[in-house]
Every structure is written in C-alpha cells, then in structure tokens.
C-alpha cells in the first residue's frame, strides 16, 4: 500500500543518512577503539540497508555463487546459507566462510536453529557449528514442527525433540507432522491422534484421518 511504501522509503533514507554519518566519523577519527566501534556500527547499518533493498539476498547470493563456483546458494538464515558445489552440500556465512569442513549428500533448510542433513545415506540434525544432535542418525527425517520432528529408525516412525530425545518409546507404521499440538499416527491398520507427550487423545481409532489445519 502507499502508506507502507512511504514508510519503507523513510526508513531507507534514515539508514542512508546514518551510514554516511558513520562513514564520515570513521574517516576523521584517530581513536582506534572508536574506529573499531564505528566500523562495526557501519557494518550493521550496511546489512540493514541490504536487507531493505534486497530482502532475499539475491545480489549477495549471486556474488558468492560466481566467486566460489557454487551451483546453488540458499537464502541466509541467521547469517548462514546452504550451498552446493559439485555433488556436495555445506554451509557458509555471508563472507563465504564455511561453517565446517563437513560435506553432505543433502542439506535442508534451517528449522528451529537446526539443519537436516544426509550423509552415507543416513539423515541427522546438526547445529550452527556442525555438531550432530544427540549423535543419532535416521533412515528418514522431516523438518521440525511445533518443536518436534518425525524420524524413521529401527522399528518404524517416532518423534524427537530439539535435544534429540524421543517423546515416548513407541514407534508407528506412519506418522504425520504436529499441528495445533496433535499428530496423527498409524498403528497396525488404525489411525489415531497423539499429543506432544506421545499420549493417545480422544480415545478413538479411525480407518483414516486428516491433519489439523
């Protein structure tokens, strides 16, 4: 809308003025500590300007792809993007620095601060430093939803939390993602719902169900 556009232009002008002011201060200051502080503030303002002018980071992503010969660069999430080079996926910051030396067959998007990756045909989750969540690997895994994620291991499907802990000892033939605190599961030929503690709810089982929306 026009009022929204006007507000965004005003914000851009404020950021531009702040950038120019900080830049001029850096040029005339002889205080090393002050210069370091000003340069840090200058970098923050520059990032804010880039986010306003290019919210999807297309310019930076193209620059990184050209410089490092990546075939794919995702949007940045909390300062990191997943990239592909050859057959390998890995993660970089906005300068192109790699998050770790690990290479993966597949890498998903950030979800609740964790990354789903695949290596040696096994799925697992890593944090921003590349550490493996709980050290466990799975045959299949989805993205986190409501703080939980469905995975497949020995015995079937089950749910884990962001620490890698299972919500219960039960495994199922199939499961759906959590929505509004509930998820459907299939045990044998019957479908029913469980809560986030793994407890069965409603006290009924069905031939089929749909997820809550």
């Amino acid at each position: 809308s026009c009022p929204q556009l006007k507000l965004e232009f005003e914000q851009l002008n404020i950021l531009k003025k702040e950038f120019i002011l900080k830049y001029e201060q850096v040029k005339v200051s002889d205080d090393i500590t002050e210069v370091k502080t000003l340069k840090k503030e200058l970098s923050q303002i520059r990032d804010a300007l880039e986010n306003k002018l290019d919210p999807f980071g297309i310019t930076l992503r193209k620059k990184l792809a050209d410089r490092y010969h990546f075939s794919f660069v995702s949007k940045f999430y909390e300062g990191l993007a997943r990239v592909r080079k050859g057959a390998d996926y890995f993660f970089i910051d906005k300068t192109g620095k790699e998050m770790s030396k690990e290479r993966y067959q597949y890498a998903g998007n950030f979800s609740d601060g964790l990354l789903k990756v695949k290596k040696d045909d096994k799925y697992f989750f890593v944090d921003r430093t590349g550490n493996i969540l709980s050290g466990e690997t799975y045959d299949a895994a989805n993205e986190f939803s409501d703080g939980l994620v469905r995975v497949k291991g020995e015995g079937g499907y089950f749910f884990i939390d962001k620490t890698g802990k299972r919500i219960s000892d039960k495994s199922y033939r199939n499961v759906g993602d959590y929505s509004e605190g509930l998820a459907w599961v299939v045990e044998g030929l019957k479908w029913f719902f469980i809560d986030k503690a793994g407890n069965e709810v409603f006290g009924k089982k069905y031939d089929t169900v749909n997820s809550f929306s």
Side-chain angles (χ1 to χ4, degrees):
S1 64
C2 290
Q4 179 63 30
L5 284 174
K6 183 179 179 181
L7 176 62
E8 290 183 2
F9 276 120
E10 289 174 352
Q11 290 173 339
L12 278 175
N13 285 328
I14 291 171
L15 287 171
K16 288 177 183 177
K17 288 176 182 178
E18 287 181 359
F19 186 89
I20 293 169
L21 177 62
K22 296 294 181 185
Y23 181 74
E24 293 298 327
Q25 289 176 329
V26 168
K27 288 199 300 182
V28 300
S29 178
D30 294 324
D31 187 323
I32 295 176
T33 302
E34 183 184 29
V35 168
K36 286 183 178 179
T37 301
L38 289 169
K39 282 185 175 180
K40 183 177 180 181
E41 293 175 356
L42 199 60
S43 177
Q44 291 172 341
I45 296 170
R46 183 193 62 209
D47 288 346
L49 272 169
E50 287 179 352
N51 288 334
K52 283 288 183 184
L53 295 169
D54 186 7
F56 295 101
I58 294 172
T59 303
L60 175 60
R61 289 157 63 193
K62 185 178 185 304
K63 181 179 178 181
L64 290 168
D66 291 342
R67 179 184 297 173
Y68 297 106
H69 308 293
F70 298 137
S71 58
F72 170 78
V73 181
S74 75
K75 286 176 60 178
F76 280 86
Y77 177 85
E78 294 184 0
L80 292 179
R82 59 191 169 106
V83 299
R84 184 176 184 180
K85 192 171 187 178
D88 297 325
Y89 286 89
F90 52 99
F91 299 90
I92 61 169
D93 65 15
K94 289 186 176 182
T95 69
K97 182 180 178 181
E98 297 176 15
M99 182 183 78
S100 73
K101 294 299 182 182
E102 290 290 337
R103 296 292 185 268
Y104 306 103
Q105 292 171 267
Y106 168 84
N109 291 314
F110 281 91
S111 178
D112 284 1
L114 294 169
L115 302 159
K116 181 179 73 174
V117 295
K118 183 181 182 182
K119 187 175 183 178
D120 298 328
D121 294 324
K122 289 288 186 179
Y123 290 91
F124 52 97
F125 296 89
V126 297
D127 63 18
R128 291 173 54 81
T129 62
N131 293 320
I132 301 176
L133 176 67
S134 74
E136 297 290 333
T137 61
Y138 309 98
D139 296 325
N142 205 36
E143 308 288 348
F144 274 87
S145 175
D146 274 9
L148 298 173
V149 63
R150 57 186 168 113
V151 296
K152 184 181 182 183
E154 188 176 352
Y157 288 90
F158 52 93
F159 292 94
I160 60 171
D161 62 20
K162 291 194 290 182
T163 69
K165 181 181 178 182
R166 293 180 61 150
I167 66 168
S168 75
D169 294 330
K170 296 203 69 172
S171 296
Y172 303 95
R173 187 162 64 89
N174 201 0
V175 297
D177 291 324
Y178 274 90
S179 176
E180 298 184 22
L182 297 177
W184 57 260
V185 298
V186 183
E187 190 173 53
L189 298 176
K190 290 297 182 180
W191 302 53
F192 55 97
F193 289 95
I194 60 172
D195 61 20
K196 295 178 76 171
N199 300 314
E200 185 177 342
V201 297
F202 304 139
K204 292 183 178 181
K205 295 187 177 181
Y206 310 91
D207 294 328
T208 187
V209 298
N210 291 318
S211 298
F212 286 90
S213 59

